[in-house]
Each structure stands twice: as structure tokens, then as C-alpha cells.
Amino acid sequence: MRTRHALIDLELDLVLMALAPEVDLRYERIYGYLQDDLSRGRPLVGLVLDLPAATPEERPAIRGVLAPDAPLLGQRSLTLVPDPRPVAPPFLAHFLVPDEQITDVLLGQSGLDRRLAGCCRLERPPALDADLTRRAGWGDGRRPVRLYSQGPAGSPRSRLAHDLAAGLGLALLTLDPPGSRTTTSTRRRT
């Protein structure tokens, strides 16, 4: 994550602070004690400004790391969620919450992002001879492979995409447009 998003140590510290309750629920109690409110089980911005700051003068620099266009929020690694109790909570009363997919990746879980589960499938085609992909010059490891193919399941285009993914040893993300699963199953019944 450090390399991919060009994060500095402070940014990584904030990600780890936000991630802690996802790893061990005892951190919720610790954050509750630190924030003098046991119902606040995630770190608030106010807390994450205080913990890494050695002096009050360092707080503005830390706050800058949480700017909307800074890497953590701009790339949606973290989200700021307002405390629901106050009517209009100040910035310091926003919880720091890690993105679900970032959490899964950092905890070593692979798979499809849950937000895509309703419209996509992540398939891992069985390995094939990689001759086709070598001849095409794909899979050099320097760039991600992106292929767009449109057609019904089982069509020549669909088989080509599966074969390329298999030859490269990559997963294949397949988009199922809304209603396509229902339509397909309805056609099979009639």
C-alpha cells in the first residue's frame, strides 16, 4: 500500500489506527477509553490528530493528511464518517473508517470487492498453455492486462477472454448487467 499509493509513515499510521478494530475488537474498547466515551469504538479525527503529534504545532500537518484531495481520502483508502449523535458534528468528531476492500487486501483476503458482487463475477479459469498470450505479447508483468469483450456467456468472445485469462494465470472479472441473471434464468424456464 505504501508504494502503490505513495504513502508516508504518518499516512500509514492513520490507516493502521483505522484498521485496528477490524483486526481485534479490543481496540474498540481502547479507543473508547482514549476518547472518554466507550460507545466510540473507532478513532475520531480528534484522536488521530493527538496520538502522533508530539506538540500542538504538529496537529495542522496531520490534519492536512486528511484533506479531501490527500491520498488517504482522495483515493478512498479511508473514509470520514460523521458521529451520528451531534446534529452537525465538527471535523474532529468524524470517525476514520478503512475502505472494505482495502481492509480485505491488508488482511490477506482476496476476492471480488463486495460492492461489485451484485453485478460482477470474479472467475479464475483453469490454467492453459500460455502460447497464445506469449505470441500476443501480453502478460509481460509491466502493465495490467485489460481486455474488453462483449457477448453472451459461451460465445467466441467470452471463450477468448477466458483463454487469455487462463494463459496469463489471471482472474477474469465478468460484468453481469442488472437484470441479466434474471433474464437468463427466465429464458431457461420457458
Side-chain angles (χ1 to χ4, degrees):
M1 182 167 192
R2 172 192 296 273
T3 306
R4 182 174 192 155
H5 297 288
L7 300 180
I8 60 173
D9 288 343
L10 173 61
E11 292 166 325
L12 287 173
D13 290 345
L14 298 185
V15 169
L16 291 175
M17 282 186 233
L19 185 65
E22 300 289 337
V23 176
D24 190 334
L25 288 177
R26 291 178 285 188
Y27 283 101
E28 287 187 333
R29 191 175 20 205
I30 292 169
Y31 287 140
Y33 284 125
L34 290 172
Q35 297 171 135
D36 200 26
D37 184 343
L38 292 178
S39 68
R40 291 179 167 169
R42 291 196 175 270
L44 289 169
V45 170
L47 179 65
V48 301
L49 292 180
D50 286 338
L51 288 178
T55 65
E57 292 77 27
E58 292 179 3
R59 286 177 59 117
I62 298 168
R63 189 176 174 132
V65 169
L66 295 173
D69 59 345
L72 290 180
L73 298 181
Q75 296 173 8
R76 298 183 186 207
S77 299
L78 294 178
T79 304
L80 295 178
V81 178
D83 185 342
R85 293 178 291 185
V87 175
F91 179 68
L92 298 179
H94 282 67
F95 293 102
L96 214 56
V97 179
D99 177 81
E100 286 182 5
Q101 186 65 17
I102 297 290
T103 298
D104 287 347
V105 169
L106 291 175
L107 296 179
Q109 299 171 352
S110 62
L112 184 63
D113 187 323
R114 288 181 211 119
R115 294 166 288 202
L116 299 177
C119 63
C120 294
R121 287 177 284 122
L122 188 62
E123 304 173 57
R124 300 197 185 281
L128 294 176
D129 178 23
D131 187 48
L132 174 63
T133 55
R134 276 195 305 272
R135 281 187 281 147
W138 292 353
D140 60 10
R142 292 183 297 228
R143 294 180 307 261
V145 177
R146 291 187 182 102
L147 172 71
Y148 172 78
S149 174
Q150 183 177 353
S155 70
R157 291 178 180 175
S158 174
R159 284 192 304 273
L160 176 62
H162 277 83
D163 290 349
L164 287 171
L168 293 168
L170 299 174
L172 179 67
L173 181 65
T174 304
L175 174 67
D176 292 324
S180 67
R181 291 181 186 174
T182 306
T183 304
T184 302
S185 62
T186 303
R187 288 182 185 158
R188 286 183 190 154
R189 282 189 234 143
T190 56

